[in-house]
Amino acid sequence: MIIRTIDFFDLKQIADSGQCFRMAPLIGQEGDGFRIISRGRLLDVFQQKRTFSFHCSEEDMPYWEEYFDLKTDYGKIAASAALEDTYLQKAALFGSGIRILRQEPWEMIITFIISQQKTIPKIKESVELLSRTYGKKLSCAGHTFYAFPSPEELSSASLDELLSLKLGYRAKYIYHICQDAISGRLDLHSLSSMDYFQAMDYLTGFYGIGRKVADCICLFGLHHINAFPIDTWIQKILLREYYQPLYEAIPKKHLYQKIVRDHFSCYEGFAGVMQQYIFYYERYSSSHHSLL
């Protein structure tokens, strides 16, 4: 077990921020925590205020440091919210323990294809079922778990088999993206070396991946933390907090990107963190939860 004291790091806030669907809650002597599965690894981690207990070896700790992005100064990011933007200031303070996880790109591609028109509990259920059905069965410290299936493993599923997992219309998207990955049309190695704009252009060229899903893949799988995913929740918030009369003539399909450019371009390089503060604030703040 490895003990660390870390500022601006809150496991529950991260788990509830809509970016990771393989964090299962735990209760232990070291406090409340989570069991996390990533790239075939398993971690139990517990939190008591600013103190964290990582149940892993010294050899594995660098992986989890990178996974949780622990070397980035999120205190500086949270403090950068513009003084005149009182809404964002409140959101950054409320969600100041959020960090952008460095997750596996292939897992994020499938996860956020699944996420379309699904609630967070249903996404978690689908991701876990895919892993148990097609992923490798592994063990760690006496615990059995399932890795997220690789493209090769998941491509063994027929469209009918995917449909039987209650994936609905998303099944055909997953089926096609698996075939693209196996054929080489989807080059995951090249994707990981692309900048944000290249990755967005590349990802949106695949069946079933629109701009919002591509932004989520970029933010949570490729660590392009300038990505700013816009779903219907974020659209409502942008209109409520940032809409101005000068936007009246802008077509709806361009409106939200215009608002983001106008109000979040000052956070160049980490606008996606601000998006996460907003998402979490709206989801859990007692004064705003009725919106969602």
Side-chain angles (χ1 to χ4, degrees):
M1 184 170 64
I2 298 168
I3 307 296
R4 294 281 180 87
T5 299
I6 309 168
D7 292 319
F8 297 96
F9 182 36
D10 189 291
L11 294 171
K12 189 174 187 306
Q13 288 187 2
I14 292 170
D16 291 341
S17 64
Q19 61 173 301
C20 180
F21 302 96
R22 302 205 78 189
M23 290 183 70
L26 296 171
I27 298 176
Q29 292 182 342
E30 305 102 305
D32 294 339
F34 288 86
R35 175 165 294 161
I36 299 156
I37 301 169
S38 173
R39 298 181 193 257
R41 292 176 169 86
L42 182 143
L43 173 72
D44 288 352
V45 56
F46 296 89
Q47 176 176 4
Q48 287 185 329
K49 296 183 179 179
R50 297 168 53 244
T51 301
F52 296 82
S53 305
F54 294 85
H55 289 244
C56 66
S57 66
E58 288 284 355
E59 291 76 15
D60 276 349
M61 191 59 196
Y63 175 82
W64 295 111
E65 285 178 335
E66 182 176 12
Y67 177 83
F68 287 115
D69 203 22
L70 295 184
K71 294 182 180 179
T72 298
D73 186 351
Y74 278 78
K76 183 177 180 180
I77 292 175
S80 70
L83 292 176
E84 64 272 16
D85 191 341
T86 55
Y87 169 75
L88 187 57
Q89 287 240 327
K90 291 177 184 176
L93 179 63
F94 189 81
S96 61
I98 293 172
R99 288 170 177 262
I100 305 298
L101 303 180
R102 292 179 178 268
Q103 300 179 83
E104 202 276 319
W106 170 249
E107 182 176 341
M108 294 299 97
I109 288 172
I110 301 300
T111 295
F112 284 100
I113 286 176
I114 291 172
S115 76
Q116 299 174 75
Q117 303 300 315
K118 268 186 177 283
T119 63
I120 288 177
K122 289 296 184 182
I123 300 167
K124 289 182 177 180
E125 183 181 300
S126 294
V127 169
E128 195 59 35
L129 186 54
L130 272 182
S131 299
R132 287 179 173 270
T133 306
Y134 297 104
K136 289 179 181 176
K137 185 177 181 179
L138 302 170
S139 62
C140 177
H143 302 294
T144 298
F145 65 102
Y146 294 84
F148 190 82
S150 67
E152 293 76 17
E153 290 166 338
L154 194 51
S155 68
S156 68
S158 68
L159 180 55
D160 285 342
E161 287 171 338
L162 292 172
L163 286 167
S164 73
L165 299 180
K166 299 181 180 179
L167 292 168
Y169 69 86
R170 305 159 202 83
K172 63 181 181 293
Y173 298 158
I174 293 172
Y175 178 79
H176 282 286
I177 203 70
C178 285
Q179 304 311 308
D180 286 334
I182 293 301
S183 70
R185 179 171 177 261
L186 171 60
D187 187 334
L188 293 168
H189 178 74
S190 294
L191 175 63
S192 296
S193 66
M194 294 177 187
D195 65 25
Y196 168 59
F197 297 104
Q198 290 171 330
M200 283 294 292
D201 186 58
Y202 185 67
L203 287 166
T204 52
F206 291 95
Y207 183 56
I209 300 181
R211 184 176 181 88
K212 184 262 179 176
V213 170
D215 260 325
C216 287
I217 296 165
C218 284
L219 183 57
F220 306 127
L222 300 171
H223 209 69
H224 295 309
I225 60 173
N226 203 40
F228 197 103
I230 301 174
D231 59 10
T232 55
W233 291 2
I234 297 296
Q235 286 177 1
K236 292 177 182 178
I237 299 159
L238 293 177
L239 289 178
R240 189 191 68 211
E241 299 294 334
Y242 298 102
Y243 185 82
Q244 301 173 5
L246 61 88
Y247 296 139
E248 289 178 359
I250 300 174
K252 197 81 169 181
K253 66 178 181 178
H254 302 306
L255 174 60
Y256 303 108
Q257 291 299 325
K258 171 65 173 171
I259 294 174
V260 170
R261 286 195 300 272
D262 286 352
H263 295 278
F264 293 90
S265 60
C266 56
Y267 307 111
E268 181 66 33
F270 54 90
V273 184
M274 298 303 179
Q275 188 269 7
Q276 283 284 277
Y277 291 152
I278 290 171
F279 180 94
Y280 182 79
Y281 182 56
E282 291 292 342
R283 198 169 177 218
Y284 290 101
S285 168
S286 60
S287 63
H288 288 84
H289 74 276
S290 60
L291 174 67
L292 307 183

